[in-house]
Amino acid sequence: MNEALLHRYTKRRSAAFARAGVLLLGICLASGGANAASGDYHLGVMDKLRVRVAEWQTAEGTVRDWSVVSGDYSVGASGDVSLPFVGDLPVTGKTTAEIAEAIGVALQKQFGLRDRPSASVEIAQYRPLYLSGDVQTPGEYPYAPNLTVMKAVSLGGGLRRADAGQRFARDFITAKGDAVVFMAERGRLLMRKARLEAEINGSDKIDMPQDLKSLPQAANMMASEVALMQSRSKQLTLQLKALDDLKALLQSEVVTLAKKSDTQNGQLVLAKEDRDKVEDLAERGLALSARKLTAEQRAADLEAALLDIDTASLKAKQDISKADQDEITLRNDRANQLAQEMQDTDTQLETLQLKLTTSQTLMQEAVVQSADAAHLGGDGQGVSVAYSIVREENGKPKEIPAEENTVVLPGDLIKVTAGLYMR
């Protein structure tokens, strides 16, 4: 009889050990699964926890199920969870493993237990995340592990879109088309201004404007302006050379006429001397009057020829002076033309900038109303979408730049900002 009782006792004790082992293994697996899912995740306000507690009683060889303590709990605004017998337990900034150990220690101390209860704590629901800015539906959304910025934005319906029937996308396309034309014209005007500055400064090289260095068509625009500058420079050089050649020819004519004038003056002196001798002989009756007339006529002809030479020389000098004046006028006209073209170019740039600003304002307004206009970008302009995460660190909010694949944590505030860029 005693052996039968001993056998039944041993059987019940073995069954109790087996049940205890299964229960504790389940608790350990649950705790391990939570840790694997949460890793080093630190708890915060609005997290929801699932707590399970069991106690192995060594003396009795049984397992006590603390069902009154087990259950789901939310982390309150104070950062505590309130458990039966344990009271308010601070959990903010701690891991589930740390909380599980703290629960076991608190229960053992509260009831003076010989064996510490084994607690498993897992996250039943993470605290939510928040979407703000240019998303279709901003607000609060549940968190899921391995959530990225792009996945979170998709929870809010993606980037903000215009309501049916609105024309924001069409307005964006129209304003963008105008802006493309204005940007191209602005590039040409900036290159023209650089060419005019080079011509005004007398340089044979055009400096590439800083705003145009990154444009693929900048090289073609530069080549066009260089060709124009060289053509204008060549034309001016030819005109100046023609004036220089004319002045050289006239100067040579002046020199020749001066030599001829010297020769004529010499002949005139001789002719006058001969005339005076003939007159003296005629007065004494030694020469005929016809010879006297011939001498006087020759002297008069030489004086007339000398006068013609002086007139031609004066005319050549006047032509040289006119050529000098034409050169000055040509250079002044060239300078005035460059100054006028520079003024006109600056005026066109200012007018174009006003038009471009208006187009950009219209584009920005369309973007503000409908962030999905980002898909209409291109040609070096359109909408840029920037992401940032506002995360609490050490009790203070900190804004962190983010990308589409940046991993999001519970409690994060994701800011989506769509803005216009023009290049």
Side-chain angles (χ1 to χ4, degrees), residues 201-250:
N201 296 328
S203 174
D204 58 353
K205 180 181 178 182
I206 302 176
D207 294 329
M208 176 69 74
Q210 188 67 30
D211 293 347
L212 304 182
K213 288 184 177 180
S214 59
L215 295 182
Q217 64 270 29
N220 292 333
M221 290 192 294
M222 172 66 80
S224 176
E225 293 298 331
V226 168
L228 178 58
M229 183 177 72
Q230 292 175 346
S231 175
R232 287 156 61 109
S233 177
K234 183 178 180 180
Q235 180 182 8
L236 178 62
T237 301
L238 290 175
Q239 290 175 326
L240 292 175
K241 187 176 184 303
L243 289 174
D244 288 339
D245 292 343
L246 176 60
K247 288 190 293 182
L249 181 62
L250 291 172

Short mmCIF file of all heavy atoms in Angstrom, two decimals, residues 201-250:
data_model
loop_
_atom_site.label_atom_id
_atom_site.label_comp_id
_atom_site.label_asym_id
_atom_site.label_seq_id
_atom_site.Cartn_x
_atom_site.Cartn_y
_atom_site.Cartn_z
N ASN A 201 36.22 95.42 -72.23
CA ASN A 201 37.53 95.40 -71.56
C ASN A 201 38.67 95.13 -72.53
O ASN A 201 39.83 95.10 -72.11
CB ASN A 201 37.53 94.34 -70.46
CG ASN A 201 36.54 94.65 -69.35
OD1 ASN A 201 36.28 95.82 -69.06
ND2 ASN A 201 35.97 93.63 -68.74
N GLY A 202 38.34 94.92 -73.80
CA GLY A 202 39.39 94.67 -74.78
C GLY A 202 40.02 93.30 -74.67
O GLY A 202 41.14 93.09 -75.14
N SER A 203 39.32 92.35 -74.06
CA SER A 203 39.85 91.00 -73.89
C SER A 203 39.45 90.13 -75.08
O SER A 203 38.38 90.32 -75.68
CB SER A 203 39.32 90.38 -72.59
OG SER A 203 39.72 89.03 -72.47
N ASP A 204 40.32 89.19 -75.41
CA ASP A 204 39.99 88.26 -76.49
C ASP A 204 39.45 86.94 -75.97
O ASP A 204 39.31 85.97 -76.71
CB ASP A 204 41.23 88.00 -77.35
CG ASP A 204 42.38 87.43 -76.53
OD1 ASP A 204 42.24 87.38 -75.28
OD2 ASP A 204 43.41 87.05 -77.12
N LYS A 205 39.12 86.89 -74.67
CA LYS A 205 38.61 85.68 -74.05
C LYS A 205 37.36 86.01 -73.25
O LYS A 205 37.30 87.01 -72.54
CB LYS A 205 39.66 85.06 -73.12
CG LYS A 205 39.21 83.80 -72.42
CD LYS A 205 40.29 83.26 -71.50
CE LYS A 205 39.82 82.01 -70.76
NZ LYS A 205 40.86 81.51 -69.82
N ILE A 206 36.35 85.15 -73.36
CA ILE A 206 35.08 85.33 -72.63
C ILE A 206 35.11 84.42 -71.40
O ILE A 206 35.36 83.22 -71.50
CB ILE A 206 33.87 84.98 -73.51
CG1 ILE A 206 33.85 85.85 -74.77
CG2 ILE A 206 32.56 85.15 -72.73
CD1 ILE A 206 32.73 85.48 -75.73
N ASP A 207 34.85 85.02 -70.25
CA ASP A 207 34.78 84.25 -69.01
C ASP A 207 33.40 83.60 -68.89
O ASP A 207 32.38 84.29 -69.00
CB ASP A 207 35.05 85.13 -67.80
CG ASP A 207 36.48 85.66 -67.78
OD1 ASP A 207 37.36 84.93 -68.29
OD2 ASP A 207 36.71 86.77 -67.26
N MET A 208 33.39 82.29 -68.64
CA MET A 208 32.12 81.58 -68.50
C MET A 208 31.39 82.03 -67.23
O MET A 208 31.95 81.99 -66.14
CB MET A 208 32.37 80.07 -68.43
CG MET A 208 31.12 79.23 -68.18
SD MET A 208 29.98 79.24 -69.58
CE MET A 208 30.87 78.15 -70.70
N PRO A 209 30.13 82.49 -67.34
CA PRO A 209 29.36 82.87 -66.14
C PRO A 209 29.21 81.68 -65.20
O PRO A 209 29.02 80.55 -65.63
CB PRO A 209 28.00 83.31 -66.71
CG PRO A 209 28.30 83.70 -68.13
CD PRO A 209 29.39 82.78 -68.58
N GLN A 210 29.29 81.96 -63.91
CA GLN A 210 29.22 80.91 -62.91
C GLN A 210 27.91 80.13 -62.98
O GLN A 210 27.88 78.91 -62.81
CB GLN A 210 29.38 81.52 -61.50
CG GLN A 210 29.53 80.51 -60.38
CD GLN A 210 30.82 79.73 -60.47
OE1 GLN A 210 31.81 80.24 -60.96
NE2 GLN A 210 30.81 78.50 -59.99
N ASP A 211 26.81 80.83 -63.27
CA ASP A 211 25.49 80.19 -63.31
C ASP A 211 25.34 79.22 -64.47
O ASP A 211 24.41 78.40 -64.47
CB ASP A 211 24.38 81.24 -63.39
CG ASP A 211 24.30 82.09 -62.13
OD1 ASP A 211 24.93 81.69 -61.12
OD2 ASP A 211 23.62 83.13 -62.14
N LEU A 212 26.22 79.32 -65.47
CA LEU A 212 26.06 78.50 -66.68
C LEU A 212 27.05 77.34 -66.75
O LEU A 212 26.96 76.53 -67.68
CB LEU A 212 26.23 79.38 -67.93
CG LEU A 212 25.31 80.60 -68.04
CD1 LEU A 212 25.57 81.31 -69.35
CD2 LEU A 212 23.85 80.20 -67.93
N LYS A 213 27.97 77.25 -65.80
CA LYS A 213 29.02 76.23 -65.90
C LYS A 213 28.48 74.82 -65.87
O LYS A 213 29.05 73.91 -66.47
CB LYS A 213 30.03 76.42 -64.77
CG LYS A 213 30.91 77.65 -64.95
CD LYS A 213 31.96 77.74 -63.87
CE LYS A 213 32.89 78.94 -64.12
NZ LYS A 213 33.94 79.06 -63.08
N SER A 214 27.36 74.61 -65.17
CA SER A 214 26.82 73.26 -65.05
C SER A 214 25.83 72.90 -66.16
O SER A 214 25.36 71.76 -66.21
CB SER A 214 26.11 73.11 -63.69
OG SER A 214 25.06 74.06 -63.57
N LEU A 215 25.52 73.84 -67.04
CA LEU A 215 24.55 73.56 -68.10
C LEU A 215 25.22 72.81 -69.25
O LEU A 215 26.32 73.16 -69.68
CB LEU A 215 23.95 74.86 -68.63
CG LEU A 215 23.08 75.68 -67.67
CD1 LEU A 215 22.53 76.90 -68.37
CD2 LEU A 215 21.95 74.83 -67.10
N PRO A 216 24.57 71.78 -69.78
CA PRO A 216 25.17 71.01 -70.87
C PRO A 216 25.30 71.82 -72.16
O PRO A 216 26.18 71.56 -72.97
CB PRO A 216 24.20 69.84 -71.05
CG PRO A 216 22.90 70.29 -70.46
CD PRO A 216 23.28 71.22 -69.34
N GLN A 217 24.42 72.80 -72.37
CA GLN A 217 24.47 73.60 -73.61
C GLN A 217 25.36 74.81 -73.48
O GLN A 217 25.43 75.64 -74.39
CB GLN A 217 23.06 74.04 -74.02
CG GLN A 217 22.37 74.98 -73.04
CD GLN A 217 21.57 74.24 -71.99
OE1 GLN A 217 21.90 73.12 -71.64
NE2 GLN A 217 20.52 74.86 -71.51
N ALA A 218 26.05 74.96 -72.35
CA ALA A 218 26.89 76.13 -72.13
C ALA A 218 28.01 76.22 -73.16
O ALA A 218 28.36 77.31 -73.64
CB ALA A 218 27.47 76.12 -70.72
N ALA A 219 28.59 75.08 -73.52
CA ALA A 219 29.70 75.07 -74.49
C ALA A 219 29.25 75.60 -75.85
O ALA A 219 29.97 76.38 -76.49
CB ALA A 219 30.27 73.67 -74.61
N ASN A 220 28.06 75.20 -76.28
CA ASN A 220 27.54 75.67 -77.57
C ASN A 220 27.26 77.17 -77.54
O ASN A 220 27.55 77.90 -78.51
CB ASN A 220 26.27 74.91 -77.94
CG ASN A 220 26.54 73.45 -78.25
OD1 ASN A 220 27.64 73.09 -78.66
ND2 ASN A 220 25.56 72.60 -78.04
N MET A 221 26.69 77.65 -76.43
CA MET A 221 26.42 79.08 -76.31
C MET A 221 27.73 79.87 -76.30
O MET A 221 27.83 80.93 -76.92
CB MET A 221 25.60 79.36 -75.05
CG MET A 221 24.16 78.85 -75.11
SD MET A 221 23.13 79.48 -73.75
CE MET A 221 23.91 78.69 -72.34
N MET A 222 28.74 79.35 -75.61
CA MET A 222 30.03 80.01 -75.57
C MET A 222 30.65 80.08 -76.96
O MET A 222 31.17 81.13 -77.39
CB MET A 222 30.96 79.28 -74.61
CG MET A 222 32.40 79.77 -74.61
SD MET A 222 32.58 81.46 -74.00
CE MET A 222 32.50 81.15 -72.24
N ALA A 223 30.58 78.98 -77.70
CA ALA A 223 31.15 78.94 -79.05
C ALA A 223 30.46 79.96 -79.96
O ALA A 223 31.11 80.63 -80.77
CB ALA A 223 31.02 77.53 -79.63
N SER A 224 29.15 80.09 -79.83
CA SER A 224 28.40 81.06 -80.65
C SER A 224 28.83 82.49 -80.34
O SER A 224 29.04 83.30 -81.26
CB SER A 224 26.90 80.88 -80.41
OG SER A 224 26.16 81.85 -81.12
N GLU A 225 28.96 82.81 -79.06
CA GLU A 225 29.35 84.17 -78.68
C GLU A 225 30.80 84.46 -79.06
O GLU A 225 31.13 85.58 -79.45
CB GLU A 225 29.14 84.38 -77.17
CG GLU A 225 27.69 84.35 -76.72
CD GLU A 225 26.87 85.48 -77.34
OE1 GLU A 225 27.45 86.54 -77.64
OE2 GLU A 225 25.66 85.29 -77.52
N VAL A 226 31.67 83.47 -78.93
CA VAL A 226 33.07 83.66 -79.34
C VAL A 226 33.16 83.94 -80.83
O VAL A 226 33.90 84.83 -81.28
CB VAL A 226 33.91 82.42 -78.96
CG1 VAL A 226 35.28 82.48 -79.64
CG2 VAL A 226 34.08 82.32 -77.45
N ALA A 227 32.39 83.20 -81.64
CA ALA A 227 32.39 83.42 -83.08
C ALA A 227 31.89 84.82 -83.42
O ALA A 227 32.45 85.51 -84.29
CB ALA A 227 31.52 82.37 -83.77
N LEU A 228 30.83 85.26 -82.71
CA LEU A 228 30.31 86.60 -82.96
C LEU A 228 31.34 87.66 -82.56
O LEU A 228 31.54 88.65 -83.29
CB LEU A 228 29.01 86.80 -82.18
CG LEU A 228 28.36 88.19 -82.29
CD1 LEU A 228 28.05 88.52 -83.74
CD2 LEU A 228 27.09 88.25 -81.44
N MET A 229 31.99 87.48 -81.42
CA MET A 229 32.98 88.45 -80.97
C MET A 229 34.15 88.53 -81.96
O MET A 229 34.63 89.61 -82.28
CB MET A 229 33.49 88.07 -79.58
CG MET A 229 34.48 89.08 -79.00
SD MET A 229 35.01 88.70 -77.32
CE MET A 229 36.07 87.29 -77.64
N GLN A 230 34.60 87.39 -82.44
CA GLN A 230 35.70 87.37 -83.40
C GLN A 230 35.30 88.04 -84.70
O GLN A 230 36.10 88.77 -85.31
CB GLN A 230 36.16 85.94 -83.65
CG GLN A 230 36.82 85.29 -82.43
CD GLN A 230 37.15 83.83 -82.66
OE1 GLN A 230 36.68 83.21 -83.62
NE2 GLN A 230 37.97 83.25 -81.79
N SER A 231 34.07 87.82 -85.16
CA SER A 231 33.60 88.44 -86.39
C SER A 231 33.53 89.96 -86.25
O SER A 231 33.98 90.70 -87.14
CB SER A 231 32.22 87.89 -86.75
OG SER A 231 31.68 88.55 -87.88
N ARG A 232 33.00 90.43 -85.13
CA ARG A 232 32.91 91.88 -84.90
C ARG A 232 34.31 92.49 -84.75
O ARG A 232 34.57 93.60 -85.25
CB ARG A 232 32.07 92.14 -83.66
CG ARG A 232 30.58 91.89 -83.87
CD ARG A 232 29.85 91.59 -82.57
NE ARG A 232 29.91 92.68 -81.62
CZ ARG A 232 28.87 93.46 -81.29
NH1 ARG A 232 27.70 93.26 -81.87
NH2 ARG A 232 28.99 94.39 -80.38
N SER A 233 35.19 91.78 -84.07
CA SER A 233 36.55 92.28 -83.90
C SER A 233 37.28 92.36 -85.25
O SER A 233 37.99 93.33 -85.53
CB SER A 233 37.32 91.37 -82.94
OG SER A 233 38.66 91.78 -82.82
N LYS A 234 37.05 91.35 -86.07
CA LYS A 234 37.68 91.34 -87.40
C LYS A 234 37.16 92.50 -88.24
O LYS A 234 37.93 93.17 -88.94
CB LYS A 234 37.40 90.01 -88.09
CG LYS A 234 38.06 89.88 -89.44
CD LYS A 234 37.79 88.50 -90.05
CE LYS A 234 38.45 88.37 -91.43
NZ LYS A 234 38.19 87.04 -92.02
N GLN A 235 35.87 92.75 -88.17
CA GLN A 235 35.28 93.86 -88.94
C GLN A 235 35.86 95.19 -88.49
O GLN A 235 36.22 96.04 -89.32
CB GLN A 235 33.76 93.85 -88.76
CG GLN A 235 33.05 94.96 -89.53
CD GLN A 235 31.54 94.95 -89.28
OE1 GLN A 235 31.05 94.19 -88.44
NE2 GLN A 235 30.83 95.79 -90.00
N LEU A 236 35.96 95.38 -87.18
CA LEU A 236 36.53 96.63 -86.67
C LEU A 236 37.99 96.76 -87.07
O LEU A 236 38.44 97.86 -87.47
CB LEU A 236 36.40 96.66 -85.14
CG LEU A 236 36.99 97.89 -84.44
CD1 LEU A 236 36.26 99.16 -84.90
CD2 LEU A 236 36.91 97.74 -82.92
N THR A 237 38.72 95.66 -87.00
CA THR A 237 40.14 95.70 -87.37
C THR A 237 40.31 96.08 -88.84
O THR A 237 41.18 96.88 -89.19
CB THR A 237 40.78 94.33 -87.11
OG1 THR A 237 40.65 94.00 -85.72
CG2 THR A 237 42.25 94.33 -87.48
N LEU A 238 39.46 95.53 -89.71
CA LEU A 238 39.54 95.85 -91.14
C LEU A 238 39.21 97.32 -91.39
O LEU A 238 39.87 97.98 -92.22
CB LEU A 238 38.58 94.96 -91.93
CG LEU A 238 38.97 93.47 -92.03
CD1 LEU A 238 37.88 92.68 -92.73
CD2 LEU A 238 40.31 93.32 -92.75
N GLN A 239 38.21 97.84 -90.70
CA GLN A 239 37.85 99.25 -90.87
C GLN A 239 38.98 100.16 -90.41
O GLN A 239 39.31 101.16 -91.07
CB GLN A 239 36.56 99.56 -90.10
CG GLN A 239 35.33 98.90 -90.72
CD GLN A 239 34.08 99.12 -89.88
OE1 GLN A 239 34.15 99.17 -88.64
NE2 GLN A 239 32.94 99.24 -90.53
N LEU A 240 39.58 99.83 -89.28
CA LEU A 240 40.68 100.64 -88.78
C LEU A 240 41.90 100.54 -89.70
O LEU A 240 42.61 101.54 -89.93
CB LEU A 240 41.06 100.20 -87.35
CG LEU A 240 40.00 100.48 -86.27
CD1 LEU A 240 40.44 99.88 -84.94
CD2 LEU A 240 39.79 101.99 -86.10
N LYS A 241 42.14 99.37 -90.24
CA LYS A 241 43.27 99.19 -91.14
C LYS A 241 43.07 100.00 -92.43
O LYS A 241 44.01 100.58 -92.97
CB LYS A 241 43.46 97.72 -91.48
CG LYS A 241 44.72 97.42 -92.30
CD LYS A 241 44.89 95.92 -92.51
CE LYS A 241 46.20 95.64 -93.24
NZ LYS A 241 46.32 96.35 -94.53
N ALA A 242 41.83 100.02 -92.91
CA ALA A 242 41.54 100.79 -94.11
C ALA A 242 41.82 102.27 -93.87
O ALA A 242 42.38 102.97 -94.74
CB ALA A 242 40.10 100.58 -94.54
N LEU A 243 41.44 102.76 -92.68
CA LEU A 243 41.71 104.16 -92.36
C LEU A 243 43.21 104.41 -92.22
O LEU A 243 43.73 105.45 -92.65
CB LEU A 243 40.98 104.54 -91.06
CG LEU A 243 39.45 104.65 -91.16
CD1 LEU A 243 38.84 104.89 -89.80
CD2 LEU A 243 39.06 105.78 -92.13
N ASP A 244 43.91 103.45 -91.61
CA ASP A 244 45.37 103.60 -91.49
C ASP A 244 46.04 103.62 -92.86
O ASP A 244 46.97 104.42 -93.11
CB ASP A 244 45.94 102.46 -90.64
CG ASP A 244 45.59 102.61 -89.17
OD1 ASP A 244 45.29 103.74 -88.74
OD2 ASP A 244 45.62 101.59 -88.44
N ASP A 245 45.59 102.75 -93.76
CA ASP A 245 46.15 102.72 -95.12
C ASP A 245 45.89 104.03 -95.85
O ASP A 245 46.77 104.56 -96.57
CB ASP A 245 45.56 101.55 -95.91
CG ASP A 245 46.01 100.20 -95.38
OD1 ASP A 245 47.02 100.16 -94.63
OD2 ASP A 245 45.36 99.18 -95.69
N LEU A 246 44.67 104.56 -95.67
CA LEU A 246 44.33 105.83 -96.31
C LEU A 246 45.20 106.95 -95.77
O LEU A 246 45.72 107.79 -96.55
CB LEU A 246 42.85 106.15 -96.08
CG LEU A 246 42.35 107.49 -96.61
CD1 LEU A 246 42.55 107.58 -98.12
CD2 LEU A 246 40.89 107.71 -96.23
N LYS A 247 45.39 106.98 -94.45
CA LYS A 247 46.23 108.03 -93.87
C LYS A 247 47.69 107.90 -94.34
O LYS A 247 48.36 108.92 -94.58
CB LYS A 247 46.16 107.95 -92.33
CG LYS A 247 44.82 108.43 -91.77
CD LYS A 247 44.86 108.59 -90.27
CE LYS A 247 45.02 107.26 -89.56
NZ LYS A 247 44.99 107.41 -88.10
N ALA A 248 48.17 106.66 -94.47
CA ALA A 248 49.54 106.46 -94.96
C ALA A 248 49.68 106.96 -96.40
O ALA A 248 50.69 107.59 -96.76
CB ALA A 248 49.91 104.99 -94.86
N LEU A 249 48.68 106.67 -97.22
CA LEU A 249 48.71 107.12 -98.60
C LEU A 249 48.67 108.64 -98.69
O LEU A 249 49.42 109.26 -99.46
CB LEU A 249 47.52 106.51 -99.35
CG LEU A 249 47.40 106.86 -100.84
CD1 LEU A 249 48.62 106.35 -101.61
CD2 LEU A 249 46.12 106.27 -101.42
N LEU A 250 47.82 109.25 -97.89
CA LEU A 250 47.72 110.71 -97.90
C LEU A 250 49.00 111.34 -97.37
O LEU A 250 49.45 112.38 -97.88
CB LEU A 250 46.52 111.15 -97.05
CG LEU A 250 45.13 110.80 -97.63
CD1 LEU A 250 44.04 111.11 -96.61
CD2 LEU A 250 44.89 111.57 -98.93
#
